[in-house]
Amino acid sequence: MSPVVGVLALQGDVREHLAALSACGLRAVPVRRPSELDAVDALVLPGGESTTMSRLLGTFDLLEPVRGRLAAGMPAYGSCAGMILLAAQVLDGRPDQQQLGGLDVVVRRNAFGRQVDSFETDLALRGVAGGPVRAVFIRAPWVESVGPGVEVLGTVPRVTLAGTQAGAAAGRAVAVRQGAVLATSFHPEITGDLRVHALFCAMVRETAAAA
């Protein structure tokens, strides 16, 4: 039986992720309650507002169940706010913000600041064939540091597509993978390029085949 991927449907780019996953050949369903989480083999945490999503995870009794599934090896993918939630530690986050874990990284929330607050650039991503990926950053985090088990898949180039100097953002990690967990600072769900979702779907299939 083909794996089923859930998309956390509390806030953010839910519909776009569902469409991208379906286009990659896997069944994708929204997840809003623990019983729905129990029925999926993997989970996508969409872009949105990380503090709001953190609060809603508690409100909908999903915080501990998601933490438990991640600890048990469930594949997960987080874009933007999803990356923040998956990180072990967040800089500049709210004191009451809850982390899900799953990635041994430290991320900086809203890291890019006003100069390049929201921007686009082309990124070469390790493990993604076919040339650079168009990356859309919207008040995005970046990865400050990674643990020994984390692979950096992509970093910010020195100059954005608009010709703006990336400054302190240049060279920062914006796509990482640790085992069956993938995260990006950017939003591939809004560009129509399915390659990041295809990479994650391949990870989900590999995990399911090994189970």
Side-chain angles (χ1 to χ4, degrees), residues 7-65:
V7 177
L8 186 68
L10 304 180
Q11 193 250 350
D13 299 340
V14 177
R15 180 173 56 187
E16 293 85 349
H17 278 292
L18 289 169
L21 293 162
S22 297
C24 290
L26 290 184
R27 184 178 167 220
V29 298
V31 169
R32 297 185 184 89
R33 50 183 61 90
S35 61
E36 293 170 341
L37 177 67
D38 291 342
V40 301
D41 302 290
L43 186 67
V44 170
L45 298 116
E49 211 293 310
S50 61
T51 54
T52 300
M53 292 169 71
S54 168
R55 177 174 52 81
L56 290 172
L57 279 162
T59 300
F60 283 79
D61 296 321
L62 280 167
L63 189 62
E64 292 306 325

Side-chain angles (χ1 to χ4, degrees), residues 123-145:
L123 291 179
L125 292 183
R126 185 177 301 174
V128 175
V133 169
R134 177 64 52 88
V136 178
F137 295 84
I138 304 172
R139 295 188 62 82
W142 69 41
V143 178
E144 286 272 333
S145 62

Side-chain angles (χ1 to χ4, degrees), residues 4 22 42 68 107-108 110 123 174 199:
V4 178
S22 297
V107 301
R108 185 172 295 278
N110 294 340
L123 291 179
V174 289
L199 171 62

